[in-house]
Amino acid sequence: MTAAASSDADLIAAHAAGDPRAFSELVRRHRDRLWAVALRTLRDHEEAADALQEALISAFRAAGSFRAESQVTTWLHRIVVNACLDRVRRRNARPTVPLPEAGPGEPVSPRDAMADRETQLVVQRALAELSDEQRLPIVLVDVEGYSVAETAQILGIAEGTVKSRCARGRAKLAKSLGHLRNPSADANVPGGAGDWRGVPDGRHGEAR
């Protein structure tokens, strides 16, 4: 079986057994999602890059102790989130101007691309205004598509806590982003608190 055809668990086991290519293949599979989580958590490209590098080094060294009690992706994301939170605690998360992430997508007209970019900036700023405890669950559940149970494992909190933090964060986002759904009613946000997910995300410009 080739590395590309191996499961994540197989790659971890192969890395622990000394295969020099296994961990690189694992990183190749998941680096985009890991990077997205780091960037949205820290809101700074340099900080996110440093945190991701630290996390991957930790994962490389700790792979031999992986016991398959969770999915490999959950384990990797937990390491990345912890690395990000460590940097937040150490450096008190210097305020920065959020930047949209580049990503693959269908060709669009320059006018549409500019509108999407402006929308992405607005969404990124709204996410940045949330507290860390609310932003992290929302990034994992609503942006990255993890289940509540997986998010609880990654963050090391109860599922009920994930749900409550997401609910509070979505309510704030609904107020901040209501004008994207209804430009003529900025001051009155209709619909449920989760409606913000219909705006394009920072990577692909697709509605979620």
Side-chain angles (χ1 to χ4, degrees):
M1 181 180 292
T2 64
S6 300
S7 69
D8 290 345
D10 289 338
L11 290 173
I12 283 286
H15 168 65
D19 186 336
R21 297 169 298 176
F23 192 79
S24 295
E25 170 62 18
L26 191 66
V27 171
R28 185 194 66 77
R29 290 182 185 181
H30 302 294
R31 61 190 172 194
D32 288 347
R33 292 185 75 185
L34 297 174
W35 166 247
V37 169
L39 183 58
R40 287 190 174 98
T41 301
L42 293 170
R43 312 186 302 282
D44 178 276
H45 277 75
E46 291 186 6
E47 288 279 313
D50 288 344
L52 183 56
Q53 183 178 26
E54 291 173 1
L56 291 178
I57 291 173
S58 295
F60 183 91
R61 293 172 175 170
S65 62
F66 178 71
R67 294 293 179 263
E69 295 173 353
S70 63
Q71 296 290 326
V72 174
T73 52
T74 301
W75 176 72
L76 286 172
H77 274 77
R78 184 188 302 125
I79 293 174
V80 171
V81 167
N82 285 338
C84 290
L85 293 179
D86 284 344
R87 295 189 78 83
V88 168
R89 286 189 287 265
R90 290 200 305 265
R91 304 189 181 185
N92 198 24
R94 298 187 306 274
T96 58
V97 177
L99 297 174
E101 298 171 52
E106 295 298 322
V108 295
S109 69
R111 184 173 181 177
D112 288 342
M114 182 170 292
D116 285 346
R117 188 180 184 87
E118 290 174 353
T119 299
Q120 291 162 12
L121 281 169
V122 170
V123 174
Q124 292 286 354
R125 290 191 182 104
L127 281 171
E129 290 173 359
L130 298 178
S131 65
D132 290 334
E133 72 173 18
Q134 291 174 2
R135 185 173 61 258
L136 275 168
I138 283 179
V139 166
L140 292 170
V141 174
D142 292 342
V143 180
E144 293 303 314
Y146 280 97
S147 68
V148 170
E150 289 170 327
T151 299
Q153 286 187 342
I154 291 171
L155 298 179
I157 57 180
E159 292 183 27
T161 304
V162 172
K163 292 178 182 178
S164 63
R165 291 180 180 180
C166 282
R168 290 196 297 270
R170 288 169 188 158
K172 292 179 181 178
L173 287 170
K175 293 179 181 178
S176 300
L177 302 176
H179 63 285
L180 295 179
R181 298 195 309 273
N182 188 356
S184 63
D186 291 356
N188 184 18
V189 179
D195 291 344
W196 75 275
R197 287 174 286 178
V199 301
D201 76 8
R203 290 178 299 152
H204 304 297
E206 298 174 349
R208 289 186 178 264

